[in-house]
Coordinates of all heavy atoms in Angstrom, one line a residue:
A12 N -2.3 19.8 -10.2 CA -3.4 18.9 -10.6 C -3.0 17.9 -11.6 O -2.0 18.1 -12.3 CB -4.6 19.8 -11.1
S13 N -3.8 16.9 -11.8 CA -3.4 15.8 -12.7 C -4.5 15.5 -13.6 O -5.7 15.8 -13.3 CB -2.9 14.7 -11.8 OG -3.5 13.5 -12.2
A14 N -4.2 14.7 -14.6 CA -5.2 14.3 -15.6 C -6.2 13.3 -15.0 O -7.3 13.1 -15.6 CB -4.6 13.7 -16.8
S15 N -5.9 12.8 -13.8 CA -6.8 11.8 -13.3 C -8.1 12.4 -12.6 O -8.9 11.7 -12.1 CB -6.1 10.9 -12.3 OG -5.6 11.7 -11.2
G16 N -8.1 13.7 -12.5 CA -9.3 14.4 -12.0 C -9.4 14.5 -10.5 O -8.4 14.5 -9.8
S17 N -10.6 14.5 -10.1 CA -10.9 14.7 -8.6 C -10.4 13.5 -7.8 O -10.1 13.7 -6.6 CB -12.4 14.9 -8.4 OG -13.1 13.7 -8.7
R18 N -10.2 12.3 -8.3 CA -9.7 11.2 -7.5 C -8.3 11.6 -6.9 O -7.9 11.1 -5.9 CB -9.5 10.0 -8.4 CG -10.7 9.1 -8.4 CD -10.5 7.9 -9.2 NE -9.5 7.0 -8.5 CZ -8.8 6.1 -9.1 NH1 -9.0 5.9 -10.4 NH2 -7.9 5.4 -8.4
N19 N -7.6 12.5 -7.6 CA -6.2 12.9 -7.2 C -6.2 13.5 -5.8 O -5.2 13.6 -5.2 CB -5.6 13.8 -8.2 CG -4.1 13.9 -8.0 OD1 -3.4 12.9 -7.8 ND2 -3.6 15.1 -8.1
S20 N -7.4 14.0 -5.3 CA -7.4 14.7 -4.0 C -7.0 13.7 -2.9 O -6.6 14.2 -1.8 CB -8.8 15.2 -3.8 OG -9.7 14.2 -3.6
H21 N -7.1 12.4 -3.1 CA -6.7 11.5 -2.0 C -5.8 10.4 -2.6 O -5.8 9.3 -2.1 CB -7.9 10.9 -1.3 CG -8.9 10.2 -2.1 ND1 -9.9 10.8 -2.7 CD2 -8.9 8.9 -2.5 CE1 -10.6 9.8 -3.4 NE2 -10.0 8.7 -3.3
T22 N -5.0 10.7 -3.6 CA -4.1 9.8 -4.1 C -2.6 10.1 -3.7 O -2.2 11.3 -3.8 CB -4.1 9.8 -5.7 OG1 -5.5 9.5 -6.0 CG2 -3.2 8.8 -6.3
Y23 N -1.9 9.1 -3.2 CA -0.5 9.3 -2.9 C 0.3 9.5 -4.1 O 0.2 8.8 -5.1 CB 0.0 8.1 -2.1 CG 1.5 8.1 -1.9 CD1 2.0 9.0 -1.0 CD2 2.3 7.2 -2.5 CE1 3.4 9.1 -0.8 CE2 3.7 7.3 -2.3 CZ 4.2 8.2 -1.4 OH 5.5 8.3 -1.2
I24 N 1.2 10.5 -4.1 CA 2.1 10.8 -5.2 C 3.5 10.7 -4.6 O 3.8 11.3 -3.6 CB 1.9 12.2 -5.7 CG1 0.4 12.3 -6.2 CG2 2.8 12.5 -6.9 CD1 0.0 13.7 -6.5
P25 N 4.4 9.9 -5.2 CA 5.7 9.7 -4.7 C 6.5 11.1 -4.6 O 6.2 12.0 -5.3 CB 6.4 8.8 -5.7 CG 5.3 8.1 -6.4 CD 4.1 9.0 -6.4
K26 N 7.4 11.2 -3.6 CA 8.0 12.4 -3.3 C 8.7 13.1 -4.5 O 8.6 14.3 -4.6 CB 9.1 12.2 -2.2 CG 8.6 12.1 -0.8 CD 9.7 12.2 0.2 CE 9.0 12.1 1.5 NZ 9.7 12.7 2.6
S27 N 9.2 12.3 -5.4 CA 9.9 12.9 -6.5 C 9.0 13.6 -7.4 O 9.4 14.4 -8.3 CB 10.7 11.8 -7.3 OG 9.8 10.9 -7.8
K28 N 7.7 13.4 -7.3 CA 6.7 13.9 -8.2 C 5.8 15.0 -7.6 O 4.9 15.5 -8.3 CB 5.8 12.8 -8.8 CG 6.6 11.9 -9.7 CD 5.8 10.8 -10.3 CE 6.6 9.8 -11.1 NZ 5.8 8.8 -11.6
Y29 N 5.9 15.3 -6.3 CA 5.1 16.3 -5.8 C 5.9 17.4 -5.0 O 7.0 17.1 -4.7 CB 4.0 15.8 -4.9 CG 4.4 15.2 -3.6 CD1 4.6 16.0 -2.5 CD2 4.4 13.8 -3.4 CE1 5.0 15.4 -1.3 CE2 4.8 13.2 -2.2 CZ 5.0 14.1 -1.1 OH 5.4 13.5 0.1
D30 N 5.3 18.5 -4.8 CA 6.1 19.5 -4.1 C 6.3 19.2 -2.7 O 5.7 18.3 -2.1 CB 5.3 20.9 -4.2 CG 4.0 20.8 -3.5 OD1 3.9 20.9 -2.3 OD2 2.9 20.6 -4.2
D31 N 7.4 19.8 -2.1 CA 7.8 19.4 -0.8 C 6.9 19.9 0.3 O 7.2 19.7 1.5 CB 9.2 20.0 -0.5 CG 10.3 19.3 -1.4 OD1 10.1 18.1 -1.7 OD2 11.3 19.9 -1.7
Q32 N 5.8 20.5 0.0 CA 4.8 20.9 1.0 C 4.3 19.7 1.8 O 4.0 19.9 3.0 CB 3.7 21.7 0.4 CG 4.1 23.1 -0.1 CD 3.0 23.9 -0.6 OE1 2.0 23.3 -1.1 NE2 3.1 25.2 -0.6
F33 N 4.1 18.6 1.2 CA 3.6 17.4 1.8 C 4.8 16.6 2.3 O 5.1 15.6 1.6 CB 2.6 16.6 0.9 CG 1.3 17.3 0.7 CD1 1.2 18.2 -0.4 CD2 0.2 17.1 1.5 CE1 0.0 18.9 -0.7 CE2 -1.0 17.8 1.2 CZ -1.0 18.7 0.2
C34 N 5.4 17.0 3.4 CA 6.7 16.4 3.7 C 6.7 15.4 4.9 O 7.7 14.8 5.1 CB 7.7 17.6 4.0 SG 7.1 18.6 5.4
Y35 N 5.6 15.2 5.5 CA 5.6 14.3 6.7 C 4.6 13.2 6.4 O 3.4 13.4 6.2 CB 5.1 15.0 7.9 CG 5.4 14.2 9.2 CD1 6.7 14.2 9.8 CD2 4.5 13.4 9.7 CE1 7.0 13.4 10.9 CE2 4.7 12.6 10.8 CZ 6.0 12.6 11.4 OH 6.3 11.8 12.5
E36 N 5.1 12.0 6.3 CA 4.3 10.8 5.9 C 4.1 9.8 7.0 O 5.0 9.5 7.8 CB 5.0 10.1 4.8 CG 5.1 10.9 3.5 CD 5.9 10.2 2.4 OE1 6.9 9.4 2.8 OE2 5.6 10.4 1.3
L37 N 2.9 9.4 7.1 CA 2.5 8.3 8.0 C 2.2 7.0 7.3 O 1.7 7.1 6.1 CB 1.2 8.7 8.8 CG 1.4 10.0 9.7 CD1 0.0 10.3 10.3 CD2 2.4 9.7 10.8
A38 N 2.4 5.9 7.9 CA 2.0 4.6 7.3 C 0.8 4.1 8.2 O 0.9 4.0 9.4 CB 3.2 3.6 7.4
G39 N -0.3 3.8 7.5 CA -1.4 3.2 8.2 C -1.5 1.7 7.7 O -1.5 1.4 6.5
F40 N -1.5 0.8 8.7 CA -1.5 -0.6 8.3 C -2.6 -1.4 9.1 O -3.2 -0.8 9.9 CB -0.1 -1.3 8.3 CG 0.6 -1.1 9.6 CD1 0.6 -2.2 10.5 CD2 1.2 0.1 10.0 CE1 1.3 -2.0 11.8 CE2 1.8 0.2 11.2 CZ 1.9 -0.9 12.1
N41 N -2.7 -2.7 8.7 CA -3.8 -3.5 9.2 C -5.1 -3.1 8.5 O -6.2 -3.1 9.1 CB -4.0 -3.5 10.7 CG -4.8 -4.7 11.2 OD1 -4.8 -5.8 10.7 ND2 -5.6 -4.4 12.3
L42 N -5.0 -2.9 7.2 CA -6.2 -2.5 6.4 C -7.1 -3.7 6.0 O -6.6 -4.8 5.9 CB -5.7 -1.8 5.1 CG -4.8 -0.6 5.2 CD1 -4.4 -0.1 3.9 CD2 -5.4 0.5 6.1
A43 N -8.3 -3.4 5.9 CA -9.3 -4.5 5.5 C -8.9 -5.0 4.2 O -8.7 -4.3 3.2 CB -10.7 -3.9 5.5
V44 N -8.9 -6.4 4.1 CA -8.5 -7.0 2.8 C -9.6 -7.0 1.8 O -9.4 -6.8 0.6 CB -8.1 -8.5 3.1 CG1 -7.7 -9.2 1.8 CG2 -6.9 -8.5 4.1
G45 N -10.9 -7.1 2.2 CA -12.0 -7.2 1.2 C -12.5 -5.9 0.7 O -13.5 -5.9 0.0
V46 N -11.9 -4.8 1.0 CA -12.4 -3.5 0.6 C -11.4 -2.9 -0.5 O -10.2 -2.9 -0.2 CB -12.5 -2.5 1.8 CG1 -13.1 -1.2 1.4 CG2 -13.4 -3.2 2.9
D47 N -11.9 -2.4 -1.6 CA -11.0 -1.9 -2.7 C -10.2 -0.7 -2.2 O -10.6 0.0 -1.3 CB -11.8 -1.7 -3.9 CG -12.8 -0.5 -3.8 OD1 -12.4 0.6 -4.0 OD2 -13.9 -0.8 -3.4
D48 N -9.1 -0.5 -2.9 CA -8.2 0.6 -2.6 C -8.9 2.0 -2.6 O -8.6 2.8 -1.7 CB -7.0 0.7 -3.7 CG -6.0 -0.4 -3.5 OD1 -6.2 -1.2 -2.5 OD2 -5.1 -0.5 -4.3
D49 N -9.7 2.3 -3.6 CA -10.4 3.6 -3.7 C -11.2 3.9 -2.5 O -11.3 5.0 -1.9 CB -11.2 3.7 -5.0 CG -10.3 3.9 -6.2 OD1 -9.1 4.3 -6.1 OD2 -10.8 3.7 -7.3
T50 N -12.0 2.8 -2.0 CA -12.8 3.0 -0.9 C -12.0 3.2 0.4 O -12.3 4.1 1.2 CB -13.8 1.8 -0.7 OG1 -14.5 1.6 -1.9 CG2 -14.7 1.9 0.4
V51 N -11.0 2.4 0.6 CA -10.1 2.6 1.8 C -9.5 3.9 1.7 O -9.5 4.7 2.7 CB -9.0 1.5 1.8 CG1 -8.0 1.7 2.9 CG2 -9.7 0.1 2.1
S52 N -8.9 4.3 0.6 CA -8.2 5.6 0.5 C -9.2 6.8 0.8 O -8.8 7.7 1.5 CB -7.7 5.7 -1.0 OG -7.0 6.9 -1.1
S53 N -10.4 6.8 0.2 CA -11.3 7.9 0.4 C -11.8 7.9 1.8 O -12.0 9.0 2.4 CB -12.4 7.9 -0.6 OG -13.2 6.7 -0.5
T54 N -12.0 6.8 2.4 CA -12.4 6.7 3.8 C -11.4 7.3 4.8 O -11.6 8.1 5.7 CB -12.8 5.3 4.2 OG1 -13.9 4.8 3.4 CG2 -13.2 5.2 5.7
L55 N -10.1 6.8 4.5 CA -9.0 7.3 5.4 C -8.8 8.8 5.2 O -8.6 9.6 6.1 CB -7.7 6.6 5.1 CG -7.7 5.1 5.5 CD1 -6.5 4.4 5.1 CD2 -8.0 5.0 7.1
F56 N -8.9 9.3 3.9 CA -8.8 10.7 3.6 C -9.8 11.5 4.4 O -9.5 12.5 5.0 CB -9.0 11.0 2.1 CG -8.9 12.4 1.8 CD1 -7.7 13.1 1.8 CD2 -10.0 13.1 1.4 CE1 -7.6 14.4 1.4 CE2 -9.9 14.5 1.1 CZ -8.7 15.1 1.1
S57 N -11.1 11.0 4.5 CA -12.1 11.8 5.2 C -11.7 11.8 6.7 O -12.1 12.8 7.4 CB -13.5 11.2 5.0 OG -13.6 9.9 5.6
L58 N -11.1 10.8 7.3 CA -10.7 10.8 8.7 C -9.5 11.8 8.9 O -9.5 12.6 9.8 CB -10.3 9.4 9.1 CG -11.4 8.4 9.3 CD1 -10.8 7.0 9.6 CD2 -12.3 8.8 10.5
F59 N -8.4 11.6 8.1 CA -7.2 12.4 8.3 C -7.3 13.8 7.9 O -6.6 14.6 8.5 CB -6.0 11.7 7.5 CG -5.5 10.5 8.2 CD1 -6.0 9.2 8.0 CD2 -4.5 10.6 9.2 CE1 -5.6 8.1 8.6 CE2 -4.0 9.4 9.9 CZ -4.6 8.2 9.6
Q60 N -8.1 14.2 6.9 CA -8.2 15.6 6.5 C -8.7 16.5 7.7 O -8.5 17.7 7.6 CB -9.1 15.7 5.3 CG -10.6 15.6 5.6 CD -11.4 15.9 4.3 OE1 -10.9 16.4 3.3 NE2 -12.7 15.5 4.4
E61 N -9.3 15.9 8.7 CA -9.8 16.7 9.8 C -8.6 17.4 10.5 O -8.8 18.3 11.3 CB -10.6 15.8 10.8 CG -11.8 15.2 10.2 CD -12.9 16.2 9.9 OE1 -13.0 17.2 10.6 OE2 -13.5 16.1 8.8
F62 N -7.4 16.8 10.3 CA -6.2 17.3 11.1 C -5.3 18.3 10.3 O -4.4 18.8 10.8 CB -5.4 16.1 11.6 CG -6.2 15.3 12.5 CD1 -7.0 14.2 12.0 CD2 -6.2 15.5 13.9 CE1 -7.7 13.4 12.9 CE2 -7.0 14.8 14.7 CZ -7.7 13.7 14.2
G63 N -5.7 18.4 9.0 CA -4.9 19.3 8.1 C -4.8 18.8 6.7 O -5.3 17.8 6.4
K64 N -4.2 19.6 5.9 CA -4.1 19.3 4.5 C -3.3 18.0 4.3 O -2.1 18.0 4.8 CB -3.5 20.5 3.7 CG -3.6 20.4 2.2 CD -3.2 21.7 1.6 CE -3.2 21.6 0.1 NZ -4.5 21.7 -0.6
C65 N -3.8 17.1 3.6 CA -3.1 15.8 3.4 C -3.5 15.1 2.1 O -4.4 15.5 1.4 CB -3.5 14.9 4.6 SG -5.2 14.3 4.7
K66 N -2.8 14.1 1.8 CA -3.0 13.2 0.6 C -2.9 11.8 1.2 O -2.1 11.5 2.0 CB -2.0 13.4 -0.5 CG -2.0 14.8 -1.1 CD -1.0 14.9 -2.2 CE -1.1 16.3 -2.8 NZ -0.1 16.5 -3.9
V67 N -3.8 10.9 0.6 CA -3.8 9.5 1.0 C -3.7 8.6 -0.2 O -4.4 8.8 -1.2 CB -5.0 9.2 1.9 CG1 -5.0 7.7 2.2 CG2 -5.1 10.0 3.1
G68 N -2.9 7.6 -0.1 CA -2.8 6.6 -1.2 C -2.6 5.2 -0.6 O -2.3 5.1 0.6
I69 N -2.6 4.2 -1.4 CA -2.5 2.8 -1.0 C -1.3 2.2 -1.7 O -1.1 2.4 -3.0 CB -3.7 2.0 -1.3 CG1 -5.0 2.6 -0.7 CG2 -3.6 0.5 -0.8 CD1 -5.0 2.7 0.8
E70 N -0.5 1.4 -1.0 CA 0.7 0.7 -1.6 C 0.4 -0.8 -1.3 O -0.1 -1.1 -0.3 CB 2.0 1.1 -1.0 CG 2.5 2.5 -1.3 CD 3.8 2.7 -0.6 OE1 4.4 1.9 0.1 OE2 4.4 3.8 -0.9
G71 N 0.9 -1.6 -2.1 CA 0.9 -3.1 -1.9 C -0.5 -3.7 -2.1 O -1.4 -3.1 -2.7
E72 N -0.6 -5.0 -1.8 CA -1.8 -5.8 -2.0 C -2.1 -6.7 -0.9 O -1.2 -7.0 -0.1 CB -1.6 -6.6 -3.3 CG -1.4 -5.8 -4.6 CD -1.2 -6.7 -5.8 OE1 -1.4 -7.9 -5.7 OE2 -0.8 -6.2 -6.8
G73 N -3.4 -7.1 -0.8 CA -3.8 -8.1 0.2 C -3.5 -7.7 1.6 O -3.7 -6.5 1.9
K74 N -3.1 -8.6 2.4 CA -2.8 -8.3 3.8 C -1.6 -7.4 4.0 O -1.4 -6.8 5.1 CB -2.7 -9.6 4.6 CG -1.5 -10.4 4.3 CD -1.4 -11.7 5.1 CE -0.3 -12.6 4.8 NZ 1.0 -12.0 5.0
D75 N -0.8 -7.2 3.0 CA 0.4 -6.4 3.0 C 0.1 -4.9 2.6 O 1.0 -4.1 2.5 CB 1.5 -6.9 2.2 CG 2.0 -8.3 2.7 OD1 2.0 -8.4 4.0 OD2 2.4 -9.1 1.9
R76 N -1.2 -4.6 2.3 CA -1.5 -3.3 1.9 C -1.2 -2.3 3.0 O -1.3 -2.5 4.2 CB -3.0 -3.2 1.6 CG -3.3 -3.3 0.1 CD -4.7 -2.9 -0.3 NE -5.7 -3.2 0.7 CZ -7.0 -2.8 0.6 NH1 -7.4 -2.3 -0.5 NH2 -7.9 -3.1 1.5
L77 N -0.8 -1.1 2.5 CA -0.4 0.0 3.4 C -1.0 1.3 2.9 O -0.9 1.6 1.7 CB 1.1 0.0 3.4 CG 1.9 1.1 4.1 CD1 1.8 0.9 5.6 CD2 3.3 1.2 3.6
A78 N -1.5 2.1 3.8 CA -1.9 3.4 3.5 C -0.8 4.4 3.7 O -0.1 4.3 4.7 CB -3.2 3.8 4.3
V79 N -0.5 5.3 2.8 CA 0.5 6.3 3.0 C -0.3 7.6 3.1 O -0.9 8.0 2.1 CB 1.5 6.3 1.8 CG1 2.5 7.4 2.0 CG2 2.2 5.0 1.7
I80 N -0.1 8.3 4.2 CA -0.8 9.6 4.5 C 0.2 10.7 4.5 O 1.1 10.6 5.4 CB -1.6 9.5 5.8 CG1 -2.6 8.3 5.8 CG2 -2.4 10.8 5.9 CD1 -2.1 7.2 6.6
S81 N 0.2 11.6 3.6 CA 1.2 12.6 3.5 C 0.6 13.9 4.0 O -0.5 14.4 3.5 CB 1.7 12.8 2.1 OG 2.2 11.6 1.6
F82 N 1.2 14.5 5.0 CA 0.7 15.8 5.5 C 1.6 17.0 5.2 O 2.8 16.8 5.0 CB 0.7 15.7 7.1 CG -0.6 15.1 7.6 CD1 -0.7 13.7 7.8 CD2 -1.7 15.9 7.9 CE1 -1.8 13.2 8.3 CE2 -2.9 15.3 8.3 CZ -2.9 14.0 8.6
K83 N 1.0 18.1 5.1 CA 1.7 19.4 4.9 C 2.5 19.8 6.2 O 3.6 20.2 6.1 CB 0.7 20.4 4.5 CG 1.3 21.6 3.8 CD 0.2 22.4 3.2 CE 0.7 23.5 2.3 NZ -0.3 24.3 1.7
G84 N 1.9 19.6 7.4 CA 2.5 20.0 8.6 C 2.8 18.8 9.5 O 2.0 17.9 9.7
V85 N 4.0 18.9 10.1 CA 4.4 17.8 11.0 C 3.5 17.7 12.2 O 3.1 16.6 12.7 CB 5.9 18.1 11.5 CG1 6.3 17.1 12.6 CG2 6.8 18.0 10.3
E86 N 3.1 18.8 12.8 CA 2.2 18.8 14.0 C 0.8 18.2 13.6 O 0.2 17.5 14.4 CB 2.1 20.2 14.6 CG 3.4 20.7 15.2 CD 4.0 19.7 16.2 OE1 3.2 19.2 17.1 OE2 5.2 19.5 16.2
D87 N 0.4 18.5 12.4 CA -0.9 17.9 12.0 C -0.8 16.4 11.9 O -1.7 15.7 12.4 CB -1.3 18.4 10.6 CG -1.6 19.9 10.6 OD1 -1.9 20.5 11.6 OD2 -1.5 20.5 9.5
A88 N 0.3 15.9 11.4 CA 0.5 14.5 11.3 C 0.6 13.8 12.7 O 0.0 12.8 12.9 CB 1.8 14.2 10.5
K89 N 1.3 14.5 13.5 CA 1.5 13.9 14.9 C 0.1 13.8 15.6 O -0.2 12.9 16.3 CB 2.5 14.7 15.7 CG 3.9 14.5 15.3 CD 4.8 15.4 16.1 CE 6.3 15.2 15.7 NZ 7.2 16.1 16.5
E90 N -0.7 14.9 15.5 CA -2.0 14.9 16.1 C -2.9 13.9 15.5 O -3.6 13.2 16.3 CB -2.6 16.3 16.0 CG -3.9 16.5 16.7 CD -3.8 16.4 18.3 OE1 -2.7 16.2 18.8 OE2 -4.9 16.4 18.9
A91 N -2.9 13.7 14.2 CA -3.7 12.7 13.6 C -3.3 11.3 14.0 O -4.2 10.5 14.3 CB -3.5 12.8 12.0
R92 N -2.0 11.1 14.1 CA -1.6 9.8 14.6 C -2.0 9.5 16.0 O -2.5 8.4 16.4 CB 0.0 9.7 14.5 CG 0.5 8.4 15.0 CD 2.0 8.3 15.0 NE 2.5 7.0 15.5 CZ 3.6 6.8 16.0 NH1 4.5 7.8 16.0 NH2 4.0 5.6 16.5
R93 N -1.9 10.5 16.9 CA -2.2 10.4 18.3 C -3.7 10.1 18.4 O -4.1 9.2 19.2 CB -1.9 11.6 19.1 CG -2.1 11.6 20.6 CD -1.9 12.9 21.3 NE -2.9 13.9 21.0 CZ -4.1 13.9 21.5 NH1 -4.5 12.9 22.3 NH2 -5.0 14.8 21.2
V94 N -4.6 10.8 17.7 CA -6.0 10.7 17.9 C -6.6 9.5 17.2 O -7.4 8.8 17.7 CB -6.7 12.0 17.3 CG1 -8.2 11.8 17.3 CG2 -6.3 13.2 18.2
L95 N -6.0 9.1 16.0 CA -6.6 8.1 15.2 C -6.0 6.7 15.4 O -6.5 5.7 14.9 CB -6.5 8.4 13.7 CG -7.3 9.7 13.3 CD1 -7.1 10.0 11.8 CD2 -8.8 9.5 13.6
Q96 N -4.9 6.6 16.2 CA -4.3 5.3 16.4 C -5.3 4.4 17.0 O -6.0 4.7 18.0 CB -3.1 5.5 17.4 CG -2.3 4.3 17.7 CD -1.4 4.0 16.5 OE1 -1.7 3.2 15.7 NE2 -0.3 4.7 16.4
G97 N -5.5 3.2 16.4 CA -6.4 2.2 16.9 C -7.8 2.4 16.5 O -8.7 1.6 16.8
T98 N -8.1 3.4 15.7 CA -9.5 3.6 15.2 C -9.9 2.4 14.3 O -9.1 1.9 13.5 CB -9.6 4.9 14.3 OG1 -9.2 6.0 15.1 CG2 -10.9 5.1 13.7
V99 N -11.1 1.9 14.5 CA -11.6 0.8 13.7 C -12.1 1.3 12.4 O -13.0 2.2 12.4 CB -12.7 0.0 14.5 CG1 -13.3 -1.1 13.6 CG2 -12.1 -0.6 15.8
V100 N -11.6 0.8 11.3 CA -12.0 1.2 9.9 C -12.3 -0.1 9.2 O -11.4 -1.0 9.1 CB -10.8 2.0 9.2 CG1 -11.3 2.3 7.8 CG2 -10.4 3.2 10.0
F101 N -13.5 -0.3 8.8 CA -13.9 -1.5 8.1 C -13.6 -2.8 9.0 O -13.0 -3.7 8.5 CB -13.3 -1.7 6.7 CG -13.7 -0.6 5.8 CD1 -12.7 0.3 5.3 CD2 -15.0 -0.4 5.4 CE1 -13.1 1.4 4.5 CE2 -15.3 0.6 4.5 CZ -14.4 1.5 4.1
D102 N -14.0 -2.7 10.2 CA -13.8 -3.9 11.2 C -12.3 -4.2 11.5 O -12.1 -5.3 12.0 CB -14.5 -5.1 10.7 CG -16.1 -4.9 10.6 OD1 -16.6 -4.1 11.5 OD2 -16.7 -5.4 9.7
R103 N -11.4 -3.3 11.1 CA -10.0 -3.6 11.4 C -9.4 -2.4 12.2 O -9.7 -1.2 11.9 CB -9.2 -3.8 10.2 CG -9.6 -4.9 9.2 CD -9.3 -6.3 9.8 NE -7.9 -6.6 9.9 CZ -7.1 -7.2 9.0 NH1 -7.7 -7.6 7.9 NH2 -5.9 -7.4 9.2
K104 N -8.6 -2.7 13.2 CA -8.0 -1.6 14.0 C -6.9 -1.0 13.2 O -5.9 -1.8 12.8 CB -7.5 -2.2 15.4 CG -7.1 -1.1 16.3 CD -6.6 -1.7 17.6 CE -7.8 -2.0 18.5 NZ -7.3 -2.3 19.9
L105 N -6.9 0.3 13.0 CA -5.8 0.9 12.2 C -4.6 1.2 13.1 O -4.8 1.8 14.1 CB -6.4 2.3 11.6 CG -5.5 3.1 10.8 CD1 -5.1 2.4 9.5 CD2 -6.1 4.4 10.5
F106 N -3.5 0.8 12.6 CA -2.2 1.1 13.3 C -1.4 2.1 12.4 O -1.4 2.0 11.2 CB -1.4 -0.2 13.5 CG -2.1 -1.2 14.4 CD1 -2.6 -2.3 13.9 CD2 -2.2 -0.9 15.8 CE1 -3.3 -3.2 14.7 CE2 -2.9 -1.8 16.6 CZ -3.4 -3.0 16.1
I107 N -0.9 3.1 13.1 CA -0.2 4.2 12.4 C 1.2 4.4 13.0 O 1.4 4.4 14.2 CB -1.0 5.5 12.6 CG1 -2.5 5.3 12.2 CG2 -0.4 6.6 11.8 CD1 -3.4 6.4 12.7
K108 N 2.2 4.5 12.0 CA 3.6 4.8 12.4 C 4.1 5.8 11.4 O 3.5 5.9 10.3 CB 4.5 3.6 12.3 CG 4.2 2.5 13.3 CD 5.3 1.4 13.1 CE 5.1 0.4 14.2 NZ 6.1 -0.7 14.1
P109 N 5.2 6.5 11.7 CA 5.8 7.4 10.7 C 6.3 6.5 9.6 O 6.7 5.4 9.8 CB 7.0 8.0 11.4 CG 6.6 8.0 12.9 CD 5.8 6.7 13.1
Y110 N 6.1 6.9 8.3 CA 6.3 6.0 7.2 C 7.8 5.6 7.2 O 8.0 4.4 6.9 CB 6.0 6.8 5.9 CG 6.2 6.0 4.6 CD1 5.2 5.1 4.3 CD2 7.3 6.2 3.8 CE1 5.4 4.3 3.1 CE2 7.4 5.5 2.7 CZ 6.5 4.5 2.3 OH 6.6 3.8 1.2
H111 N 8.7 6.4 7.4 CA 10.1 6.0 7.3 C 10.5 5.0 8.4 O 11.2 4.1 8.1 CB 11.1 7.2 7.4 CG 11.1 7.9 8.8 ND1 10.1 8.8 9.2 CD2 11.9 7.7 9.9 CE1 10.3 9.1 10.4 NE2 11.4 8.5 10.9
T112 N 9.9 5.0 9.5 CA 10.1 4.0 10.6 C 9.5 2.7 10.1 O 10.2 1.7 10.3 CB 9.4 4.5 11.9 OG1 9.9 5.7 12.3 CG2 9.6 3.5 13.0
F113 N 8.3 2.7 9.6 CA 7.7 1.5 9.1 C 8.5 0.8 8.1 O 8.8 -0.4 8.1 CB 6.3 1.8 8.6 CG 5.5 0.6 8.1 CD1 4.8 -0.2 9.0 CD2 5.6 0.2 6.8 CE1 4.2 -1.4 8.6 CE2 4.9 -1.0 6.4 CZ 4.2 -1.7 7.3
R114 N 9.0 1.6 7.1 CA 9.8 1.0 6.0 C 11.2 0.5 6.5 O 11.6 -0.6 6.0 CB 10.1 2.1 4.9 CG 9.0 2.3 4.0 CD 8.8 1.0 3.1 NE 7.6 1.0 2.4 CZ 6.8 -0.1 2.3 NH1 7.1 -1.2 2.8 NH2 5.7 0.0 1.6
E115 N 11.8 1.1 7.5 CA 13.0 0.6 8.1 C 12.8 -0.8 8.7 O 13.8 -1.6 8.8 CB 13.6 1.6 9.1 CG 14.2 2.8 8.4 CD 14.5 4.0 9.4 OE1 14.3 3.7 10.6 OE2 14.9 5.0 8.9
E116 N 11.6 -1.0 9.3 CA 11.4 -2.3 10.0 C 11.1 -3.4 9.0 O 11.1 -4.6 9.4 CB 10.2 -2.1 10.9 CG 10.4 -1.2 12.0 CD 9.2 -0.8 12.8 OE1 8.1 -1.3 12.4 OE2 9.3 -0.1 13.8
Q117 N 10.8 -3.1 7.7 CA 10.5 -4.2 6.8 C 11.7 -4.9 6.3 O 12.8 -4.4 6.2 CB 9.7 -3.6 5.6 CG 8.4 -2.9 6.0 CD 7.5 -3.8 6.8 OE1 7.1 -4.8 6.2 NE2 7.2 -3.5 8.0

């Protein structure tokens, strides 16, 4: 747990600072520009938690914003990606890739 309280339930924590249980990361992009990070993060958390224990956070700004969804289980992450790919969130179609793949393309 962290001093930031309950908000931490859907905050991304870099790998060096959290336990290895959340080892499979997805990148969600094409996020709505006019919606604040906390709202996007909590909305995505409510969608992705249906597939297993996860954490969600936001990186970047504006049209380059990226959601990082960290899952405890690889199969949970794969199923979430399969089911939620293209889901419309705040009038934008959500695109999902494995985080490491997304970063290699940048």
